[in-house]
Amino acid sequence: MKKLLITLILVSAFAAVHAQMLISKDAIISFFSKAPMEDIDAISKTAVSGINIKTGEIIFKINNNSFQFKKKLMQEHFNENYMESDTYPTSEFKGKIIDPVDFSKLGTYNVVVKGNLQIHGVTKTYQTQAKITVTSDAVTANAAFKVKLEDHKIKIPTIVIAKIAEVVDVKINAVYPTKN
């Protein structure tokens, strides 16, 4: 009887924690660099993200080598020369949704998200606007912000400075299913 009671308590506790977390296993993160000689854009559809609907804490994590480019050579340069993906294989954002969101009520919420973004081994605090949409079967998060490469010690060789912008536009889209 005592063993059954402990099992029920553990199952209930796990279910309560699990119910507080929304998980997205295929979040989309893209970036765009506009430079005088060349535009560069890349996309990854394999980022993972979680939202704790009780605390508003949010996390994104991505494998840097998952970004796909139109040109294979750009992808090689991105991973080998700029992101140094062998040394810094992932990038991560850990933050919090500042404004209240009622995840039990359908609607669209314009919110501010603040947290720490770690890219290339360097962590910097960011704050940006985001849109959280709650539907009957999912929660969707969208955000866009700018990242200054120098802030994350990503060096651009002088010879290619006309091909790579010093600041890139980053967009995030994550869908968190609420039904199994």
Side-chain angles (χ1 to χ4, degrees):
M1 184 68 180
K2 187 175 178 181
K3 190 174 183 179
L4 176 63
L5 182 61
I6 291 172
T7 302
L8 286 174
I9 290 171
L10 289 175
V11 168
S12 297
F14 177 77
V17 169
H18 184 71
Q20 294 178 9
M21 288 296 296
L22 299 176
I23 305 293
S24 176
K25 297 177 182 173
D26 51 3
I28 298 170
I29 298 179
S30 63
F31 69 84
F32 178 73
S33 161
K34 182 164 187 64
M37 290 186 63
E38 193 167 34
D39 293 342
I40 299 171
D41 60 342
I43 187 168
S44 173
K45 298 178 181 177
T46 61
V48 292
S49 177
I51 297 176
N52 183 322
I53 61 173
K54 291 291 183 194
T55 65
E57 293 172 317
I58 187 166
I59 184 170
F60 283 89
K61 191 166 191 172
I62 186 168
N63 287 322
N64 293 328
N65 60 13
S66 68
F67 281 104
Q68 301 295 307
F69 293 71
K70 291 177 183 168
K71 296 178 181 177
K72 190 76 175 166
L73 188 59
M74 284 181 178
Q75 190 166 331
E76 287 178 25
H77 288 169
F78 172 81
N79 285 305
E80 294 173 8
N81 303 336
Y82 306 114
M83 292 298 285
E84 301 177 271
S85 296
D86 285 343
T87 305
Y88 310 105
T90 61
S91 295
E92 182 178 277
F93 176 84
K94 285 183 182 177
K96 187 168 183 165
I97 301 167
I98 302 299
D99 301 302
V101 175
D102 185 349
F103 288 97
S104 67
K105 188 175 180 180
L106 305 185
T108 299
Y109 302 85
N110 293 311
V111 298
V112 172
V113 177
K114 184 177 181 180
N116 293 318
L117 177 65
Q118 179 273 122
I119 299 175
H120 197 242
V122 178
T123 302
K124 184 176 185 314
T125 301
Y126 283 80
Q127 181 171 310
T128 190
Q129 298 285 320
K131 184 168 72 175
I132 306 283
T133 303
V134 179
T135 64
S136 60
D137 57 355
V139 170
T140 304
N142 290 291
F145 56 96
K146 296 182 181 300
V147 172
K148 188 175 183 180
L149 301 181
E150 183 180 50
D151 288 346
H152 295 278
K153 297 186 179 176
I154 299 171
K155 296 179 183 168
I156 305 170
T158 308
I159 195 164
V160 294
I161 198 81
K163 292 184 177 182
I164 301 173
E166 294 178 20
V167 177
V168 297
D169 297 317
V170 177
K171 291 184 180 177
I172 292 174
N173 174 272
V175 177
Y176 309 84
T178 54
K179 294 182 178 176
N180 295 330

